[in-house]
Amino acid sequence: MSESEKVNRRGFLKYAATTVGGLIVGGVIGHLLAPRAPAEISTVMVTEVKTTTKTVTQTVSPTPTAPPAAIRILGTEGPVPPAVEKNINKFGEVANADVTYESFPWTGFHEKGTMSLTLPGKGMYDAVVINCDWCFPAWHEYLEPLDEYVKRDNFDTSDFLPNAIKHFCMWPKGMKVKPTGLEEGELLGLPHLSDAMFFVIRKDLLEKAGCRLPTMDDPYTLEEFKEVCKKLSNPPEIYGLGFYHQEEGGMPDTWTALYFAIGGEKARWFNEDLTAAINNEYAKQAAEFLKDFYDEGITPLYQIEQAWGWLEENFKAGKLAAIHSWGLGALSLKDPSYNPLWDKTELVLPPVGPTGTPLTYYAGWSWGIPKNAPNKELAWEFLKWITAPEQQEAHAIQCPPTRISVLNKLGKEREYYNWLRWVAERARVLPAIPQLLEVNRIVFTQLTRYWRGEIDVDTAFETAEDEINSLMRRLGYIS
């Protein structure tokens, strides 16, 4: 497979929902026998079944008294964009180290990381990038606790967004799940990327329609936002809104954000005993609100069948007046080299529900050290380096920062970074369980059936809750 070939995200979701034991049985022997890249080779392409590995090696000439150490780092496309990869390689110069960075597509990343972290003895990687929803719940017991490193080096973590530390990096010792995602616990990583869902909108169409831009002091209400999207809609030439609910991903992201916005703290995925808690009035109101967008022609129903990335591509093509997008993708739409409509594009603060909760939820990535890492001390130096203010500022345009000082500094020139902090302090987070993707797929399927008119809203959520409880019972979380 060539590096330019696209690997869809459905495969990644399949791997992410697979148990750790199954992954080891399926792939560990082949990877243990795979040759390591020699230091003098700058780029190596390794092709596996539906998995492309890109290895970039930074070589630093050894000195007679201090030969270079070696560090091997695992990453993935998207959360580790070119600007971050450049800083990874720069670390080799600073630390007098040979840096090998391997970047896997979504389909191979979770599998490769799980396999290495669970190897007996020494693993393959010294540092890994970690997704808070898909990887952290499955990997937490295989990650090196960092509390002693922080204490020993007097490393200050207070500059990181509190929710980034709690949600991306902390896990309660001895617990298999985090129902709310915010419990205190062991520090297992340092925050890398802070993300939340925003609206990207055609500001030229907004001005033409006589609609205002929202502010932090005066955000859109849900009804006002619906009216704005309705005014911008002129199907089939252009639709007023596209949102995250694509078959390839199977993630009901926009519904989840709306559920939180309407219900506030009462909107939960699980009860304290880990039984499902989505068959309620807030969940149904969110589903009914979005169904109106379909029924009134504001959003095309065929968006459900589309591939991941369809929203951004159709916004760039002028076929969508607004999209509900993750900040990582939204930032790219302000890039002239990526979006021909960049000068007509504006990132817009999400509307708020009746509880004051914004229509978004909070997610992100961290850097961690596997317990079986061959070089933990050098990995710890790398974590401190890559999450330092200077590095976060250097790659902020491609990778939303997690440090308060960086967000405040950049917010003086670009309002988006102020919004990101505002959202991070208010937004909800998903529950952290290893099978979260399976839970998402259950909800996605029943929402899709409701929006297509196959079942009513009560049946949709009764069925979803029953199926989630059946899954949780089969996994041993509930009796």
Side-chain angles (χ1 to χ4, degrees):
M1 180 186 295
S2 67
E3 184 179 6
S4 63
E5 287 183 282
K6 299 294 183 182
V7 183
N8 70 45
R9 192 171 174 185
R10 182 177 299 159
F12 173 74
L13 302 182
K14 176 182 176 182
Y15 284 122
T18 306
T19 62
V20 170
L23 288 172
I24 297 173
V25 172
V28 66
I29 296 176
H31 285 279
L32 281 173
L33 296 177
R36 299 285 288 270
E40 67 273 16
I41 298 177
S42 60
T43 303
V44 176
M45 295 298 300
V46 181
T47 302
E48 301 177 4
V49 179
K50 291 190 176 182
T51 302
T52 302
T53 304
K54 174 184 173 186
T55 302
V56 179
T57 303
Q58 174 73 38
T59 303
V60 180
S61 299
T63 64
T65 56
I71 182 171
R72 195 175 180 190
I73 301 166
L74 175 66
T76 185
E77 56 192 21
V80 187
V84 179
E85 188 172 331
K86 181 179 179 181
N87 273 331
I88 290 174
N89 291 323
K90 188 176 179 182
F91 174 74
E93 303 172 9
V94 174
N96 186 32
D98 286 341
V99 177
T100 300
Y101 172 65
E102 296 183 9
S103 179
F104 278 76
W106 293 104
T107 46
F109 170 69
H110 185 277
E111 178 192 23
K112 187 78 171 183
T114 301
M115 182 174 49
S116 179
L117 266 66
T118 56
L119 283 174
K122 296 296 183 183
M124 294 183 287
Y125 299 103
D126 300 292
V128 294
V129 72
I130 305 163
N131 174 271
C132 65
D133 296 326
W134 307 317
C135 301
F136 194 33
W139 293 357
H140 66 89
E141 61 184 301
Y142 304 105
L143 294 170
E144 178 83 356
L146 302 179
D147 298 277
E148 290 301 317
Y149 294 82
V150 169
K151 183 179 179 180
R152 181 195 68 191
D153 294 358
N154 196 27
F155 181 73
D156 185 9
T157 61
S158 64
D159 189 37
F160 291 110
L161 289 163
N163 274 358
I165 285 283
K166 292 179 179 180
H167 184 43
F168 310 164
C169 304
M170 282 187 165
W171 196 278
K173 191 172 183 179
M175 288 185 65
K176 290 187 176 182
V177 297
K178 291 202 302 180
T180 65
L182 285 176
E183 288 86 350
E184 300 289 343
E186 290 184 303
L187 183 69
L188 301 177
L190 294 182
H192 163 57
L193 181 156
S194 183
D195 209 0
M197 301 189 79
F198 287 84
F199 282 97
V200 185
I201 202 162
R202 285 278 300 277
K203 63 181 179 181
D204 59 324
L205 300 180
L206 199 68
E207 293 168 0
K208 185 177 179 180
C211 301
R212 70 180 183 90
L213 279 171
T215 66
M216 287 189 289
D217 295 328
D218 190 17
Y220 285 146
T221 63
L222 294 176
E223 289 302 326
E224 184 180 8
F225 178 73
K226 180 181 175 182
E227 288 304 310
V228 167
C229 292
K230 192 172 184 178
K231 288 182 179 180
L232 304 185
S233 187
N234 184 28
E237 288 79 15
I238 187 169
Y239 287 87
L241 178 68
F243 58 84
Y244 268 102
H245 194 88
Q246 279 68 54
E247 176 65 34
E248 185 180 49
M251 303 283 285
D253 290 354
T254 296
W255 171 83
T256 299
L258 185 56
Y259 176 39
F260 289 159
I262 292 174
E265 292 298 322
K266 295 180 180 178
R268 304 169 64 96
W269 279 73
F270 294 97
N271 296 308
E272 292 299 326
D273 62 358
L274 296 182
T275 55
I278 61 167
N279 186 17
N280 58 61
E281 59 179 307
Y282 310 115
K284 295 174 185 178
Q285 286 173 20
E288 291 167 338
F289 184 85
L290 291 174
K291 190 174 189 300
D292 287 344
F293 279 74
Y294 289 126
D295 293 346
E296 296 179 27
I298 303 170
T299 298
L301 187 61
Y302 62 79
Q303 75 162 3
I304 296 174
E305 288 83 26
Q306 305 308 312
W308 200 265
W310 179 86
L311 293 176
E312 287 76 13
E313 289 302 316
N314 278 264
F315 182 87
K316 287 161 51 180
K319 297 178 182 179
L320 293 172
I323 61 173
H324 192 214
S325 175
W326 285 100
L328 191 62
L331 277 175
S332 67
L333 292 171
K334 291 291 289 182
D335 183 347
S337 66
Y338 177 72
N339 180 17
L341 299 173
W342 70 273
D343 57 337
K344 299 176 182 178
T345 298
E346 190 62 74
L347 273 64
V348 177
L349 198 68
V352 297
T355 62
T357 305
L359 200 166
T360 185
Y361 64 92
Y362 191 47
W365 295 71
S366 63
W367 287 102
I369 304 172
K371 285 182 178 178
N372 62 4
N375 197 337
K376 295 180 183 178
E377 286 296 334
L378 188 57
W380 169 240
E381 293 303 317
F382 169 73
L383 262 62
K384 292 189 293 182
W385 159 265
I386 201 65
T387 62
E390 296 81 8
Q391 314 317 322
Q392 289 209 357
E393 184 176 348
H395 56 235
I397 190 62
Q398 295 180 354
C399 188
T402 57
R403 283 188 174 269
I404 296 170
S405 61
V406 177
L407 289 168
N408 288 345
K409 181 178 180 180
L410 297 177
K412 295 177 181 178
E413 298 181 358
R414 192 166 182 183
E415 191 70 7
Y416 163 78
Y417 295 103
N418 296 325
W419 293 351
L420 182 59
R421 181 177 178 183
W422 183 87
V423 168
E425 292 170 347
R426 292 164 174 79
R428 298 286 303 281
V429 297
L430 294 182
I433 65 170
Q435 295 78 20
L436 182 61
L437 293 177
E438 295 179 59
V439 174
N440 269 286
R441 173 60 73 175
I442 289 171
V443 177
F444 176 93
T445 299
Q446 299 309 319
L447 281 172
T448 298
R449 294 180 66 202
Y450 166 57
W451 287 334
R452 286 175 172 162
E454 299 172 8
I455 56 176
D456 60 36
V457 70
D458 291 328
T459 301
F461 285 97
E462 287 170 5
T463 303
E465 188 159 282
D466 287 346
E467 290 186 3
I468 293 171
N469 282 334
S470 178
L471 172 67
M472 299 296 281
R473 195 174 293 113
R474 189 166 67 250
L475 295 168
Y477 291 123
I478 63 177
S479 57

